[in-house]
Amino acid sequence: MSLGNPAKGMLAAAVMAAAALFAAPASAEIKNLEIIAPANAGGGYDQHARAMQQVLQDHKLASSVQVVNIPGAGGTIGLSQFVTAKKRNPGLMISGLGMIGAILINKSPVSLDQVTPLARLTGEYQPIVVAADSPLKTLDDLVRKFKADPGSVSWGGFAVGSPDHILYGLLVKAIGGDVSKMNYIAAGAGGEMMASVLGGHITVATGGYNEMASQLQAGKLRALAISAPQRLPGIDVPTFKEQGVDVELVNWRAVMAPGNLKASEKQALDDAVGAMVRTDEWKRIAAERGWIDLYLPSDQFAAFVKDERTRIEGVLTELGLVK
C-alpha cells in the first residue's frame, strides 16, 4: 500500500508559487517572534523550529526569535496552548502530517480549523532501523519475525497516529499481517526514541533520516528500509519497494500562524517565510538534513491541508486507529 508522494501532481502549482515568490518584495523584519515546537528537543518539529530561528535571524527577516518546546499527545498539547494563548507578538507553530493524525486519534478539542496554515516547508522519507547488534539483519528478517509471533516485535514511534505509526501500519498491511496485533510503543522522538532502540527496549524505530543519521553512520544502528519511492542520493538504504513491499510515505512539515490574524499580519509572515526558504542558508540546512523542498505559500497550503485531512482520516480509519 502506498500513500504516494505529495510532491508529485503539484509540480505545476509549485512552479507557479516559485515564480510568484521570486517576484515578491523583500520582507520587513518581524520583531519578538516565538515559534512553538510541539514536541521534545531533537525531533523533526524541533529541528524545523530551530532552523527557522537561525535563518530568520541571520537574514534579518525576524528578530528576538525564541523557540519554545511544548511536547505531548502528538503535538496537540502544543496546538491547544497555541490556539488558546492570549495575543502573541506574533507567534508561529511547527506542524505536519503527524499532527493531523494526533488530532483525530486524541479527539483533540482544538483543531487546525483554529489556526492559519502559513506555509508547507519540507518533506522527509523515513527509514526503519534496529540496533547494530540486533539479530534482524534485513527487512525479510523483520517480516518473518512478525509473522511468526506478532507480539515479539515492538514498533517504536513518536505517538499513536503519528507518521511513524502510519508507516508501520502500512508495512504490516502490505505484508498481509494483522494491524490489530501490532505492539506499537509511543517512544517519543529524537534522542529519546534512539535510546530506546539502542538499549533494546524496542525492536525497531523510525523517524526522519536526519534524526538517526549520526548513529547510522557510526554503525550503532542498521537501517532495514526507507519509505522513499527510489533510493535517495548519498543514502545507502534500500527502499521498501525494491524489497517487494509496496510502501511509500513522505512526512511533510509546515508552519502555522494564529487563527485571528489581520490580513496585513498574515501577509508579513507569509512574505518572511517565503523569503526564508529562498535563502542559500535554508537550502543548505535542508540538504544537510535530507529535507525535500515541498514549499507552498499560505493560500495554496490551506487548500492542501483541507485535502490532506480527508486523506489521512481515511488511512487511519482503514488502519483501525480512527472509528
Side-chain angles (χ1 to χ4, degrees):
M1 175 180 286
S2 172
L3 286 190
N5 183 345
K8 296 177 182 178
M10 295 185 180
L11 180 59
V15 170
M16 291 174 64
L21 281 168
F22 278 100
S27 302
E29 185 178 49
I30 297 167
K31 301 185 183 301
N32 302 317
L33 180 65
E34 179 181 276
I35 304 176
I36 289 178
N40 288 315
Y45 287 167
D46 179 69
Q47 289 183 27
H48 279 72
R50 295 184 189 279
M52 286 189 68
Q53 177 189 41
Q54 176 181 328
V55 179
L56 287 170
Q57 291 187 145
D58 286 353
H59 292 267
K60 302 190 183 308
L61 297 166
S63 61
S64 300
V65 181
Q66 299 296 319
V67 173
V68 179
N69 292 88
I70 306 178
T76 58
I77 292 177
L79 173 64
S80 179
Q81 292 194 29
F82 185 68
V83 167
T84 59
K86 294 182 179 179
K87 174 73 174 176
R88 299 186 180 278
N89 187 32
L92 297 175
M93 182 189 69
I94 304 298
S95 184
L97 172 63
M99 188 171 286
I100 291 179
I103 289 168
L104 293 167
I105 289 171
N106 292 304
K107 296 181 171 58
S108 172
V110 295
S111 75
L112 296 181
D113 289 332
Q114 294 164 272
V115 302
T116 300
L118 188 63
R120 190 179 67 181
L121 298 173
T122 68
E124 197 169 12
Y125 294 112
Q126 298 195 191
I128 59 169
V129 301
V130 296
D133 60 0
S134 169
L136 303 178
K137 307 297 184 185
T138 66
L139 181 61
D140 283 344
D141 290 342
L142 174 61
V143 170
R144 281 194 293 268
K145 182 175 176 63
F146 180 80
K147 287 185 173 180
D149 181 6
S152 69
V153 177
S154 51
W155 308 82
F158 172 48
V160 173
S162 66
D164 303 348
H165 199 171
I166 292 172
L167 177 60
Y168 291 142
L170 291 173
L171 170 57
V172 170
K173 287 182 68 67
I175 64 173
D178 186 345
V179 175
S180 69
K181 294 182 178 179
M182 284 175 53
N183 178 21
Y184 184 77
I185 307 294
E192 188 178 5
M193 181 163 39
M194 290 306 98
S196 292
V197 72
L198 289 170
H201 306 298
I202 54 178
T203 309
V204 296
T206 189
Y209 179 81
N210 181 63
E211 295 175 43
M212 51 195 73
S214 60
Q215 291 95 335
L216 286 167
Q217 291 162 6
K220 295 180 180 179
L221 293 174
R222 177 168 51 252
L224 304 182
I226 195 165
S227 65
Q230 58 269 330
R231 288 212 185 196
L232 300 177
I235 297 177
D236 186 23
V237 179
T239 67
F240 287 99
K241 288 188 171 183
E242 73 179 82
Q243 298 180 82
V245 179
D246 187 15
V247 170
E248 182 184 329
L249 177 72
V250 63
N251 182 12
W252 56 267
R253 298 216 171 80
V255 60
M256 304 292 187
N260 57 350
L261 283 181
K262 296 178 182 177
S264 59
E265 293 173 328
K266 176 184 173 183
Q267 189 63 56
L269 290 168
D270 201 11
D271 288 347
V273 174
M276 179 195 76
V277 301
R278 296 198 304 274
T279 65
D280 289 339
E281 185 178 12
W282 177 264
K283 293 174 183 177
R284 175 184 57 77
I285 291 171
E288 289 174 352
R289 299 183 180 181
W291 297 345
I292 303 160
D293 178 15
L294 292 180
Y295 174 69
L296 285 178
S298 184
D299 289 346
Q300 292 178 45
F301 178 48
F304 169 82
V305 170
K306 183 178 179 180
D307 291 342
E308 189 75 338
R309 287 164 65 182
T310 300
R311 184 178 76 103
I312 295 304
E313 184 171 8
V315 172
L316 293 174
T317 300
E318 184 179 3
L319 295 177
L321 300 176
V322 171
K323 297 181 179 179

